[in-house]
Amino acid sequence: MYATRLGYSGRGVKREAAEQGDVVASVQTAKSAEQQAEAEEQIVEQSKRIDFYITEYSVEMLAHKMRAHEYVVPAYQREFTWEDERKSRFIESLIMGLPIPFVFFWEMPDGRLEIVDGSQRLRTIEEFLLGDFRLGDLEQLDKISGFRFAELPESRQRKIRNRSIRGIVLNEHADEAARLDMFERINTGSKIANKAEIRRGAVAGPFLNLIIELASDERLVRLAPMSEKSKQERGYEELATRFFAYGDGLAGYKDRPADFIFNYAKKMNDRFESDPSLAETYRQRFHHTMDFIERVFPRGFRKGPAGKATPRARFEAIAIGSYLALQEKPELADRTWANLDVTPWIDGEEFTAVTGSDGANARAKLEGRMGFVRDRLVGS
């Protein structure tokens, strides 16, 4: 009897606590009908970019299609190749019958398939079945270490050829930005190309050539220090591209910087090809702005005197804000730190807040930090 009462009482307390928790959660997560509608609209819009079908291929077919160049390896993936140890481990997994991840393709207008993800696997399969690749030291199948495909028993060769790998094919209407976004998401955490590297390969052209040139500018490196890792990941190319992309205006920006900058780079390649003189115009814009920043901002883009990193939001605020200020008030170009003192606000709480990471890519935040610096310089 006592146990029954205790159990009932316990359930009542738990139910009451749960109900109170539901009320609190409801208050904390309540969203307006307008916010929900905007969220749903965004989900639908982004989902339209991804239209695909699922298929299945034999390993033999994959190897021969790779050899016949029916599968296209995009430029941004070509230089990222597996070492022999990783190739051997993959082939070992294939022979053992372990699950192999999906291969992602995009159906090109000419009917060939561009490899969005899986180029290393497909290249390794081609190299093993049709090339001269010799397996290295294997952990589980050590008895076939050092074997080539042709040296395996014929029965095993047939079984390997008949293994199937599933593929997801994006139709030809999926835009380039969607494919590159998928490539990055699938490979999160892996040693892959980053956004700047992808752009370098996918939208190579005269504008990207200028970006590569300016990324090695000694003054930029001095004003905007970054780690060796960031340098190797083409961090300076990313900064230079953002300087121009955001400086030319945010028309069409939808809080997705990767898509915006990718489309901007494509557009600017076309413009540079139509008018080669634009390269010098944009080069001078960059140098003119960096001249000004070097004279007026004693620490460049650093947060502190001994800073060894350049927060991207801080770079955007100072670099593009300075460019906009010079556009609005050209006489600022003759100023130096001695007669244009930025110290009252550069270390202030307000500037720290507008260059914070919270919602940093939202258009309002981006415009806010660029406008903050522009207004302080123009009003000085």
Side-chain angles (χ1 to χ4, degrees):
M1 188 68 172
Y2 178 78
T4 302
R5 286 176 180 165
L6 182 60
Y8 177 81
S9 174
R11 286 195 299 274
V13 171
K14 289 177 181 177
R15 183 167 57 250
E16 183 179 353
E19 290 171 352
Q20 291 176 348
D22 289 343
V23 171
V24 172
S26 176
V27 171
Q28 291 176 338
T29 61
K31 299 293 182 185
S32 69
E34 183 180 357
Q35 287 176 308
Q36 291 176 337
E38 289 176 350
E40 180 62 20
E41 182 182 353
Q42 185 181 54
I43 292 169
V44 171
E45 180 185 346
Q46 293 302 319
S47 297
K48 286 179 181 177
R49 304 166 72 217
I50 308 296
D51 189 9
F52 65 91
Y53 62 87
I54 298 176
T55 187
E56 202 159 333
Y57 304 95
S58 70
V59 166
E60 182 175 31
M61 178 184 288
L62 291 171
H64 282 286
K65 283 185 174 292
M66 283 294 291
R67 179 58 58 92
H69 303 293
E70 288 191 30
Y71 294 156
V72 178
V73 181
Y76 60 84
Q77 295 191 51
R78 285 176 196 148
E79 61 184 271
F80 296 90
T81 56
W82 282 353
E83 64 282 1
D84 286 351
E85 181 182 355
R86 192 166 180 183
K87 291 179 186 177
S88 296
R89 187 171 177 79
F90 169 70
I91 295 298
E92 182 183 38
S93 298
L94 186 70
I95 295 173
M96 291 172 64
L98 294 175
I100 302 300
F102 279 82
V103 177
F104 288 76
F105 297 102
W106 169 62
E107 189 173 45
M108 302 171 69
D110 65 3
R112 293 182 299 163
L113 298 181
E114 178 184 286
I115 306 168
V116 177
D117 179 71
S119 69
Q120 303 298 336
R121 279 166 272 156
L122 296 183
R123 282 186 273 187
T124 299
I125 286 171
E126 178 199 356
E127 193 176 347
F128 184 59
L129 266 67
L130 305 179
D132 199 38
F133 180 70
R134 184 185 294 277
L135 295 171
D137 293 331
L138 304 181
E139 294 181 8
Q140 304 297 324
L141 302 179
D142 60 303
K143 299 297 184 183
I144 62 169
S145 295
F147 274 57
R148 293 188 176 93
F149 179 75
E151 295 170 339
L152 293 169
E154 287 189 15
S155 59
R156 179 52 56 188
Q157 292 181 36
R158 293 191 193 98
K159 291 175 182 178
I160 294 172
R161 291 193 191 100
N162 292 333
R163 278 282 328 258
S164 63
I165 293 178
R166 303 188 81 183
I168 291 180
V169 183
L170 297 169
N171 75 16
E172 60 182 294
H173 302 298
D175 60 37
E176 289 174 283
R179 304 197 305 273
L180 297 177
D181 183 48
M182 177 176 286
F183 173 72
E184 183 188 22
R185 288 172 185 272
I186 293 167
N187 287 279
T188 298
S190 301
K191 183 181 178 181
I192 59 158
N194 56 46
K195 291 181 178 67
E197 290 166 327
I198 289 171
R199 281 197 300 272
R200 178 188 273 222
V203 288
F207 174 71
L208 263 293
N209 292 340
L210 176 63
I211 292 297
I212 293 168
E213 171 197 322
L214 297 178
S216 61
D217 181 75
E218 292 182 2
R219 178 170 44 200
L220 175 63
V221 173
R222 187 169 63 253
L223 294 172
M226 62 176 65
S227 67
E228 285 302 317
K229 181 175 182 294
S230 295
K231 291 177 185 177
Q232 291 170 5
E233 293 175 350
R234 309 197 194 284
Y236 287 117
E237 289 182 29
E238 184 70 21
L239 294 184
T241 308
R242 287 180 178 234
F243 170 73
F244 292 125
Y246 295 159
D248 277 344
L250 297 178
Y253 185 86
K254 298 180 179 179
D255 299 349
R256 292 176 57 83
D259 287 1
F260 178 78
I261 296 172
F262 179 85
N263 291 326
Y264 174 82
K266 280 187 65 180
K267 177 184 71 177
M268 294 306 294
N269 270 335
D270 292 339
R271 288 190 60 196
F272 276 40
E273 286 176 355
S274 299
D275 182 2
S277 67
L278 280 176
E280 184 58 29
T281 300
Y282 275 70
R283 183 181 291 108
Q284 289 302 319
R285 178 203 292 191
F286 178 85
H287 288 307
H288 184 58
T289 305
M290 292 302 137
D291 281 344
F292 174 77
I293 292 168
E294 187 172 38
R295 291 196 309 272
V296 172
F297 293 83
R299 299 200 304 265
F301 301 104
R302 297 176 179 84
K303 290 183 69 173
K308 296 181 179 179
T310 301
R312 190 170 287 168
R314 189 179 181 90
F315 173 86
E316 292 164 355
I318 296 174
I320 303 158
S322 295
Y323 166 69
L324 296 175
L326 289 167
Q327 291 294 102
E328 187 170 334
K329 194 174 181 180
E331 59 267 31
L332 288 172
D334 298 326
R335 302 288 187 88
T336 68
W337 63 268
N339 52 32
L340 183 58
D341 189 9
V342 300
T343 52
W345 54 265
I346 197 70
D347 293 321
E349 292 182 3
E350 192 174 358
F351 183 67
T352 300
V354 298
T355 54
S357 59
D358 183 27
N361 292 322
R363 179 168 180 167
K365 294 277 190 178
L366 182 54
E367 290 177 331
R369 58 178 173 266
M370 296 187 302
F372 180 92
V373 173
R374 178 200 60 210
D375 294 344
R376 293 305 182 279
L377 292 173
V378 170
S380 62

